[in-house]
Amino acid sequence: QVQLVESGGGLVQPGGSLRLSCAASGIFFRIYAMAWYRQAPGKQRELVASITGGGTTEYADSVKGRFTISRDNAKNMVDLQMNSLKAEDTAVYYCKAAWRTEYWGQGTQVTVSS
């Protein structure tokens, strides 16, 4: 049974930082591309950052220079370090694993507000 479990969301002030984590089980983690998506109220889900099994990363323009995605293949985990957070980063953040099929986590809420 495949499981992706996100953690680390919460309420943070503008300019602050949060680190999201996604723990994967039930998959051969190192071959999966991993990604973080987010969905704000009334908006479509959008790609935030992705990382291949070999460590190649990509970022949405809106988060470049502020967010960093990383993975630990030994621990089956992928993290998203978010710095200089803005109100527009408020969303539910989802972890996705993709190879021949896709798996999604349940999401974790990030709220950036003073």
Side-chain angles (χ1 to χ4, degrees), residues 2-67:
V2 177
Q3 279 194 314
L4 299 177
V5 180
E6 300 100 334
S7 61
L11 173 65
V12 63
Q13 292 187 342
S17 297
L18 279 177
R19 189 175 185 90
L20 304 183
S21 294
C22 173
S25 59
I27 59 173
F28 189 44
F29 183 79
R30 64 181 65 243
I31 68 172
Y32 277 75
M34 301 299 297
W36 287 95
Y37 283 72
R38 67 186 180 187
Q39 188 167 19
K43 295 189 176 181
Q44 289 189 330
R45 192 172 296 189
E46 63 175 358
L47 175 65
V48 175
S50 65
I51 185 167
T52 66
T56 300
T57 58
E58 290 189 359
Y59 296 91
D61 287 344
S62 60
V63 307
K64 282 180 182 176
R66 300 189 297 123
F67 291 11

Side-chain angles (χ1 to χ4, degrees), residues 5-13 17-21 36-42 45 67 80 82 85-95 105-113:
V5 180
E6 300 100 334
S7 61
L11 173 65
V12 63
Q13 292 187 342
S17 297
L18 279 177
R19 189 175 185 90
L20 304 183
S21 294
W36 287 95
Y37 283 72
R38 67 186 180 187
Q39 188 167 19
R45 192 172 296 189
F67 291 11
L80 184 69
M82 306 186 294
L85 283 161
K86 305 175 182 180
E88 51 263 43
D89 295 318
T90 295
V92 178
Y93 284 70
Y94 297 90
C95 174
Q106 81 289 349
T108 185
Q109 176 70 46
V110 171
T111 302
V112 185
S113 175

Side-chain angles (χ1 to χ4, degrees), residues 73-85:
N73 288 338
K75 295 182 178 179
N76 287 8
M77 293 192 69
V78 59
D79 290 347
L80 184 69
Q81 177 65 43
M82 306 186 294
N83 299 327
S84 303
L85 283 161

